[in-house]
Amino acid sequence: DTGVSQNPRHKITKRGQNVTFRCDPISEHNRLYWYRQTLGQGPEFLTYFQNEAQLEKSRLLSDRFSAERPKGSFSTLEIQRTEQGDSAMYLCASSYPGQTSTDTQYFGPGTRLTVL
Amino acid sequence: LAKTTQPISMDSYEGQEVNITCSHNNIATNDYITWYQQFPSQGPRFIIQGYKTKVTNEVASLFIPADRKSSTLSLPRVSLSDTAVYYCLGQTRGFKTIFGAGTRLFVKA
């Protein structure tokens, strides 16, 4: 178990540019989540995949945001025409269905985005 | 959605037991209470989860009373390395996870 990995760890971009982040979940986990976290706040849910299917999207995920998980393994989160308000830590988590109604989610280290 | 309320911050000293209480008045029947810990510049880390009564693991204990409207995370004998943000989560049916602002615990020497 190598844990959830995210790349890059840091990204600095200029306003209006597109950025893409990658998440590699724990190998046997079929559920994958994306969150956004700003300074002093808890993570905000963005979207959730079960295998390759995107099952839930937050209203926070505007049209400029798109997430994919084409083969049910790694996932990408793309932000088009970045704005300064997009500056945040983007967290990925994965889980495997458990016996309870909730999953234990394992988080990656995050990608810190700074939009200048 | 199950909304949780917890103190914004707490201070403690090394070696003390720390209890962080979380209110979740509208928790649903099938919801579990989950606690996560987060250090700066890292993703949250699962600590403990429970449905009712008491759950204990190698890191913490979780107390949930019969009415399940609150829960208390107990950290025995904290050390400086326990300084972190602690999140109490009330999850709805399904998989959306709602994090609040968390409790910032500061452990002093």
Side-chain angles (χ1 to χ4, degrees), chain A residues 54-97:
Chain A
Q54 188 173 19
L55 297 186
E56 191 165 358
K57 291 169 57 175
S58 165
R59 58 181 174 81
L60 294 174
L61 213 64
S62 75
D63 292 344
R64 297 185 297 106
F65 288 70
S66 62
E68 295 183 343
R69 195 183 182 197
K71 297 182 179 179
S73 57
F74 73 91
S75 175
T76 58
L77 177 67
E78 180 183 16
I79 308 174
Q80 296 181 329
R81 306 180 303 280
T82 52
E83 302 172 356
Q84 288 184 326
D86 296 331
S87 295
M89 175 77 85
Y90 290 84
L91 293 162
C92 175
S94 69
S95 70
Y96 188 82

Short mmCIF file of all heavy atoms in Angstrom, two decimals, chain A residues 54-97:
data_model
loop_
_atom_site.label_atom_id
_atom_site.label_comp_id
_atom_site.label_asym_id
_atom_site.label_seq_id
_atom_site.Cartn_x
_atom_site.Cartn_y
_atom_site.Cartn_z
N GLN A 54 -18.62 9.07 -12.89
CA GLN A 54 -18.70 10.23 -12.00
C GLN A 54 -20.12 10.31 -11.48
O GLN A 54 -21.06 10.67 -12.20
CB GLN A 54 -18.34 11.51 -12.77
CG GLN A 54 -18.19 12.73 -11.90
CD GLN A 54 -17.68 13.94 -12.67
OE1 GLN A 54 -17.75 13.99 -13.90
NE2 GLN A 54 -17.15 14.93 -11.96
N LEU A 55 -20.31 10.00 -10.20
CA LEU A 55 -21.65 9.82 -9.65
C LEU A 55 -22.20 11.06 -8.98
O LEU A 55 -23.42 11.17 -8.82
CB LEU A 55 -21.67 8.65 -8.67
CG LEU A 55 -21.33 7.28 -9.26
CD1 LEU A 55 -21.52 6.20 -8.21
CD2 LEU A 55 -22.17 6.99 -10.49
N GLU A 56 -21.35 11.96 -8.55
CA GLU A 56 -21.85 13.13 -7.85
C GLU A 56 -20.91 14.31 -8.08
O GLU A 56 -19.69 14.14 -8.10
CB GLU A 56 -21.98 12.85 -6.36
CG GLU A 56 -22.74 13.94 -5.59
CD GLU A 56 -23.16 13.49 -4.21
OE1 GLU A 56 -22.91 12.33 -3.85
OE2 GLU A 56 -23.75 14.31 -3.49
N LYS A 57 -21.50 15.47 -8.29
CA LYS A 57 -20.73 16.70 -8.50
C LYS A 57 -21.33 17.79 -7.64
O LYS A 57 -22.54 17.97 -7.60
CB LYS A 57 -20.77 17.13 -9.97
CG LYS A 57 -20.02 16.23 -10.91
CD LYS A 57 -20.32 16.56 -12.37
CE LYS A 57 -20.02 17.98 -12.72
NZ LYS A 57 -20.20 18.24 -14.17
N SER A 58 -20.46 18.54 -6.97
CA SER A 58 -20.91 19.67 -6.18
C SER A 58 -21.22 20.85 -7.10
O SER A 58 -20.64 20.99 -8.17
CB SER A 58 -19.83 20.04 -5.18
OG SER A 58 -20.07 21.31 -4.62
N ARG A 59 -22.11 21.71 -6.62
CA ARG A 59 -22.37 22.94 -7.37
C ARG A 59 -21.14 23.85 -7.37
O ARG A 59 -21.06 24.80 -8.14
CB ARG A 59 -23.56 23.68 -6.79
CG ARG A 59 -23.42 24.05 -5.33
CD ARG A 59 -24.66 24.75 -4.80
NE ARG A 59 -24.59 24.99 -3.38
CZ ARG A 59 -23.93 26.00 -2.84
NH1 ARG A 59 -23.29 26.86 -3.60
NH2 ARG A 59 -23.89 26.15 -1.53
N LEU A 60 -20.17 23.53 -6.51
CA LEU A 60 -18.91 24.28 -6.51
C LEU A 60 -18.12 24.01 -7.78
O LEU A 60 -17.25 24.79 -8.17
CB LEU A 60 -18.05 23.88 -5.30
CG LEU A 60 -18.58 24.23 -3.92
CD1 LEU A 60 -17.67 23.64 -2.86
CD2 LEU A 60 -18.68 25.73 -3.75
N LEU A 61 -18.42 22.89 -8.42
CA LEU A 61 -17.67 22.49 -9.62
C LEU A 61 -18.29 23.20 -10.81
O LEU A 61 -19.21 22.69 -11.46
CB LEU A 61 -17.75 20.97 -9.78
CG LEU A 61 -16.54 20.27 -10.39
CD1 LEU A 61 -15.33 20.43 -9.49
CD2 LEU A 61 -16.83 18.82 -10.64
N SER A 62 -17.77 24.41 -11.10
CA SER A 62 -18.32 25.19 -12.20
C SER A 62 -17.95 24.56 -13.54
O SER A 62 -17.22 23.57 -13.60
CB SER A 62 -17.77 26.61 -12.12
OG SER A 62 -16.42 26.66 -12.54
N ASP A 63 -18.45 25.18 -14.61
CA ASP A 63 -18.18 24.68 -15.95
C ASP A 63 -16.69 24.70 -16.30
O ASP A 63 -16.26 24.02 -17.22
CB ASP A 63 -18.95 25.50 -16.98
CG ASP A 63 -20.44 25.28 -16.86
OD1 ASP A 63 -20.83 24.28 -16.22
OD2 ASP A 63 -21.20 26.10 -17.39
N ARG A 64 -15.92 25.47 -15.58
CA ARG A 64 -14.48 25.53 -15.86
C ARG A 64 -13.74 24.32 -15.30
O ARG A 64 -12.58 24.08 -15.63
CB ARG A 64 -13.88 26.81 -15.28
CG ARG A 64 -14.43 28.09 -15.89
CD ARG A 64 -13.70 29.30 -15.34
NE ARG A 64 -13.89 29.46 -13.90
CZ ARG A 64 -12.95 29.20 -13.00
NH1 ARG A 64 -11.75 28.78 -13.39
NH2 ARG A 64 -13.19 29.37 -11.71
N PHE A 65 -14.40 23.58 -14.44
CA PHE A 65 -13.79 22.42 -13.81
C PHE A 65 -14.30 21.15 -14.48
O PHE A 65 -15.49 21.01 -14.74
CB PHE A 65 -14.16 22.35 -12.32
CG PHE A 65 -13.50 23.38 -11.46
CD1 PHE A 65 -13.86 24.72 -11.55
CD2 PHE A 65 -12.54 23.02 -10.53
CE1 PHE A 65 -13.26 25.68 -10.74
CE2 PHE A 65 -11.94 23.96 -9.72
CZ PHE A 65 -12.30 25.29 -9.82
N SER A 66 -13.39 20.24 -14.73
CA SER A 66 -13.81 18.92 -15.23
C SER A 66 -12.91 17.85 -14.63
O SER A 66 -11.71 18.06 -14.48
CB SER A 66 -13.75 18.86 -16.75
OG SER A 66 -12.43 19.06 -17.22
N ALA A 67 -13.51 16.75 -14.28
CA ALA A 67 -12.76 15.64 -13.70
C ALA A 67 -13.05 14.38 -14.50
O ALA A 67 -14.17 14.19 -14.98
CB ALA A 67 -13.12 15.45 -12.23
N GLU A 68 -12.04 13.56 -14.63
CA GLU A 68 -12.19 12.30 -15.35
C GLU A 68 -11.49 11.18 -14.59
O GLU A 68 -10.53 11.41 -13.86
CB GLU A 68 -11.59 12.41 -16.76
CG GLU A 68 -12.27 13.38 -17.68
CD GLU A 68 -11.65 13.38 -19.06
OE1 GLU A 68 -10.52 12.88 -19.21
OE2 GLU A 68 -12.30 13.87 -19.99
N ARG A 69 -11.97 9.99 -14.85
CA ARG A 69 -11.31 8.79 -14.34
C ARG A 69 -11.51 7.71 -15.40
O ARG A 69 -12.31 6.80 -15.22
CB ARG A 69 -11.90 8.36 -12.99
CG ARG A 69 -11.04 7.37 -12.25
CD ARG A 69 -11.68 6.92 -10.95
NE ARG A 69 -10.79 6.01 -10.24
CZ ARG A 69 -11.19 5.21 -9.27
NH1 ARG A 69 -12.46 5.21 -8.88
NH2 ARG A 69 -10.33 4.42 -8.66
N PRO A 70 -10.81 7.84 -16.51
CA PRO A 70 -11.13 7.07 -17.73
C PRO A 70 -11.09 5.56 -17.58
O PRO A 70 -11.89 4.87 -18.19
CB PRO A 70 -10.08 7.57 -18.73
CG PRO A 70 -9.00 8.18 -17.91
CD PRO A 70 -9.66 8.71 -16.68
N LYS A 71 -10.21 5.02 -16.82
CA LYS A 71 -10.12 3.57 -16.71
C LYS A 71 -10.40 3.09 -15.31
O LYS A 71 -10.09 1.95 -14.95
CB LYS A 71 -8.74 3.09 -17.17
CG LYS A 71 -8.44 3.39 -18.64
CD LYS A 71 -7.09 2.86 -19.06
CE LYS A 71 -6.83 3.16 -20.53
NZ LYS A 71 -5.50 2.66 -20.97
N GLY A 72 -10.99 3.95 -14.53
CA GLY A 72 -11.31 3.55 -13.17
C GLY A 72 -10.10 3.46 -12.26
O GLY A 72 -10.21 2.88 -11.17
N SER A 73 -8.97 3.99 -12.71
CA SER A 73 -7.78 3.97 -11.84
C SER A 73 -7.42 5.40 -11.45
O SER A 73 -8.05 5.95 -10.56
CB SER A 73 -6.63 3.26 -12.54
OG SER A 73 -6.33 3.90 -13.79
N PHE A 74 -6.46 6.02 -12.14
CA PHE A 74 -6.09 7.39 -11.80
C PHE A 74 -7.17 8.36 -12.26
O PHE A 74 -8.04 8.03 -13.08
CB PHE A 74 -4.74 7.75 -12.41
CG PHE A 74 -4.78 7.96 -13.89
CD1 PHE A 74 -5.01 9.23 -14.43
CD2 PHE A 74 -4.61 6.91 -14.77
CE1 PHE A 74 -5.06 9.42 -15.79
CE2 PHE A 74 -4.66 7.09 -16.14
CZ PHE A 74 -4.88 8.35 -16.65
N SER A 75 -7.12 9.56 -11.71
CA SER A 75 -8.09 10.59 -12.08
C SER A 75 -7.35 11.89 -12.36
O SER A 75 -6.25 12.12 -11.85
CB SER A 75 -9.09 10.80 -10.95
OG SER A 75 -9.98 11.87 -11.23
N THR A 76 -7.96 12.72 -13.20
CA THR A 76 -7.43 14.05 -13.45
C THR A 76 -8.50 15.09 -13.16
O THR A 76 -9.69 14.85 -13.36
CB THR A 76 -6.95 14.22 -14.91
OG1 THR A 76 -8.04 13.95 -15.79
CG2 THR A 76 -5.79 13.28 -15.21
N LEU A 77 -8.06 16.22 -12.67
CA LEU A 77 -8.93 17.37 -12.44
C LEU A 77 -8.35 18.52 -13.24
O LEU A 77 -7.20 18.90 -13.04
CB LEU A 77 -8.98 17.73 -10.95
CG LEU A 77 -9.81 18.96 -10.58
CD1 LEU A 77 -11.29 18.71 -10.82
CD2 LEU A 77 -9.58 19.35 -9.12
N GLU A 78 -9.14 19.06 -14.16
CA GLU A 78 -8.67 20.15 -14.99
C GLU A 78 -9.46 21.41 -14.65
O GLU A 78 -10.68 21.37 -14.47
CB GLU A 78 -8.84 19.85 -16.48
CG GLU A 78 -8.35 20.98 -17.38
CD GLU A 78 -8.58 20.73 -18.86
OE1 GLU A 78 -9.37 19.83 -19.21
OE2 GLU A 78 -7.96 21.46 -19.67
N ILE A 79 -8.76 22.51 -14.56
CA ILE A 79 -9.38 23.81 -14.37
C ILE A 79 -9.03 24.66 -15.59
O ILE A 79 -7.85 24.88 -15.87
CB ILE A 79 -8.91 24.53 -13.10
CG1 ILE A 79 -9.05 23.61 -11.88
CG2 ILE A 79 -9.72 25.80 -12.88
CD1 ILE A 79 -8.48 24.20 -10.59
N GLN A 80 -10.02 25.11 -16.29
CA GLN A 80 -9.80 25.95 -17.46
C GLN A 80 -9.94 27.42 -17.07
O GLN A 80 -10.70 27.76 -16.16
CB GLN A 80 -10.80 25.60 -18.56
CG GLN A 80 -10.64 24.19 -19.09
CD GLN A 80 -11.63 23.87 -20.21
OE1 GLN A 80 -12.74 24.38 -20.23
NE2 GLN A 80 -11.22 23.04 -21.15
N ARG A 81 -9.19 28.26 -17.75
CA ARG A 81 -9.27 29.73 -17.56
C ARG A 81 -9.23 30.05 -16.06
O ARG A 81 -10.16 30.65 -15.51
CB ARG A 81 -10.54 30.27 -18.20
CG ARG A 81 -10.69 29.89 -19.67
CD ARG A 81 -11.97 30.46 -20.29
NE ARG A 81 -13.18 30.05 -19.59
CZ ARG A 81 -13.76 28.87 -19.75
NH1 ARG A 81 -13.24 27.98 -20.57
NH2 ARG A 81 -14.87 28.60 -19.09
N THR A 82 -8.14 29.67 -15.45
CA THR A 82 -8.04 29.82 -14.00
C THR A 82 -8.26 31.26 -13.55
O THR A 82 -7.92 32.23 -14.26
CB THR A 82 -6.68 29.35 -13.48
OG1 THR A 82 -5.63 30.01 -14.23
CG2 THR A 82 -6.53 27.86 -13.60
N GLU A 83 -8.83 31.38 -12.36
CA GLU A 83 -9.08 32.68 -11.73
C GLU A 83 -8.34 32.69 -10.39
O GLU A 83 -8.03 31.63 -9.84
CB GLU A 83 -10.58 32.87 -11.51
CG GLU A 83 -11.38 32.81 -12.78
CD GLU A 83 -12.89 32.82 -12.51
OE1 GLU A 83 -13.27 32.81 -11.32
OE2 GLU A 83 -13.66 32.85 -13.49
N GLN A 84 -8.10 33.88 -9.86
CA GLN A 84 -7.38 33.97 -8.60
C GLN A 84 -8.13 33.26 -7.48
O GLN A 84 -7.53 32.70 -6.56
CB GLN A 84 -7.11 35.42 -8.24
CG GLN A 84 -6.06 36.06 -9.14
CD GLN A 84 -5.72 37.48 -8.73
OE1 GLN A 84 -6.59 38.21 -8.27
NE2 GLN A 84 -4.47 37.87 -8.92
N GLY A 85 -9.44 33.23 -7.57
CA GLY A 85 -10.25 32.53 -6.57
C GLY A 85 -10.10 31.02 -6.60
O GLY A 85 -10.58 30.35 -5.69
N ASP A 86 -9.45 30.51 -7.62
CA ASP A 86 -9.22 29.07 -7.69
C ASP A 86 -8.02 28.65 -6.84
O ASP A 86 -7.78 27.45 -6.65
CB ASP A 86 -8.97 28.63 -9.14
CG ASP A 86 -10.17 28.85 -10.04
OD1 ASP A 86 -11.31 28.81 -9.52
OD2 ASP A 86 -9.97 29.09 -11.24
N SER A 87 -7.26 29.61 -6.36
CA SER A 87 -6.09 29.30 -5.53
C SER A 87 -6.54 28.56 -4.28
O SER A 87 -7.38 29.04 -3.51
CB SER A 87 -5.36 30.59 -5.12
OG SER A 87 -4.83 31.23 -6.26
N ALA A 88 -6.01 27.38 -4.10
CA ALA A 88 -6.43 26.51 -2.99
C ALA A 88 -5.58 25.26 -3.00
O ALA A 88 -4.76 25.05 -3.89
CB ALA A 88 -7.90 26.12 -3.14
N MET A 89 -5.81 24.40 -2.00
CA MET A 89 -5.23 23.05 -2.00
C MET A 89 -6.29 22.11 -2.57
O MET A 89 -7.44 22.13 -2.13
CB MET A 89 -4.88 22.62 -0.58
CG MET A 89 -4.39 21.20 -0.47
SD MET A 89 -2.69 21.03 -1.02
CE MET A 89 -1.84 21.49 0.50
N TYR A 90 -5.92 21.34 -3.55
CA TYR A 90 -6.84 20.37 -4.14
C TYR A 90 -6.45 18.98 -3.64
O TYR A 90 -5.34 18.50 -3.89
CB TYR A 90 -6.82 20.47 -5.66
CG TYR A 90 -7.48 21.75 -6.12
CD1 TYR A 90 -6.75 22.94 -6.17
CD2 TYR A 90 -8.83 21.79 -6.43
CE1 TYR A 90 -7.36 24.14 -6.52
CE2 TYR A 90 -9.44 22.98 -6.80
CZ TYR A 90 -8.70 24.15 -6.84
OH TYR A 90 -9.31 25.33 -7.19
N LEU A 91 -7.38 18.36 -2.94
CA LEU A 91 -7.13 17.08 -2.30
C LEU A 91 -7.88 15.96 -3.01
O LEU A 91 -9.01 16.14 -3.45
CB LEU A 91 -7.60 17.11 -0.84
CG LEU A 91 -6.83 18.04 0.10
CD1 LEU A 91 -7.64 18.31 1.36
CD2 LEU A 91 -5.49 17.43 0.47
N CYS A 92 -7.23 14.84 -3.10
CA CYS A 92 -7.84 13.64 -3.66
C CYS A 92 -7.89 12.59 -2.55
O CYS A 92 -6.99 12.52 -1.70
CB CYS A 92 -7.00 13.14 -4.82
SG CYS A 92 -7.55 11.57 -5.53
N ALA A 93 -8.94 11.80 -2.53
CA ALA A 93 -9.06 10.72 -1.57
C ALA A 93 -9.62 9.49 -2.27
O ALA A 93 -10.28 9.60 -3.31
CB ALA A 93 -9.98 11.12 -0.41
N SER A 94 -9.33 8.33 -1.72
CA SER A 94 -9.91 7.11 -2.28
C SER A 94 -10.41 6.23 -1.15
O SER A 94 -10.01 6.38 0.00
CB SER A 94 -8.89 6.36 -3.15
OG SER A 94 -7.85 5.80 -2.37
N SER A 95 -11.31 5.32 -1.51
CA SER A 95 -11.87 4.42 -0.50
C SER A 95 -12.36 3.15 -1.17
O SER A 95 -12.48 3.06 -2.39
CB SER A 95 -13.02 5.09 0.25
OG SER A 95 -14.15 5.24 -0.60
N TYR A 96 -12.63 2.18 -0.32
CA TYR A 96 -13.18 0.90 -0.77
C TYR A 96 -14.45 0.66 0.01
O TYR A 96 -14.47 0.92 1.22
CB TYR A 96 -12.17 -0.21 -0.54
CG TYR A 96 -12.60 -1.53 -1.16
CD1 TYR A 96 -12.38 -1.77 -2.52
CD2 TYR A 96 -13.24 -2.51 -0.42
CE1 TYR A 96 -12.78 -2.96 -3.11
CE2 TYR A 96 -13.65 -3.69 -1.00
CZ TYR A 96 -13.42 -3.91 -2.34
OH TYR A 96 -13.82 -5.08 -2.92
N PRO A 97 -15.52 0.17 -0.63
CA PRO A 97 -16.77 -0.02 0.09
C PRO A 97 -16.59 -0.89 1.32
O PRO A 97 -16.02 -1.97 1.26
CB PRO A 97 -17.67 -0.73 -0.93
CG PRO A 97 -17.09 -0.41 -2.24
CD PRO A 97 -15.62 -0.25 -2.03
#
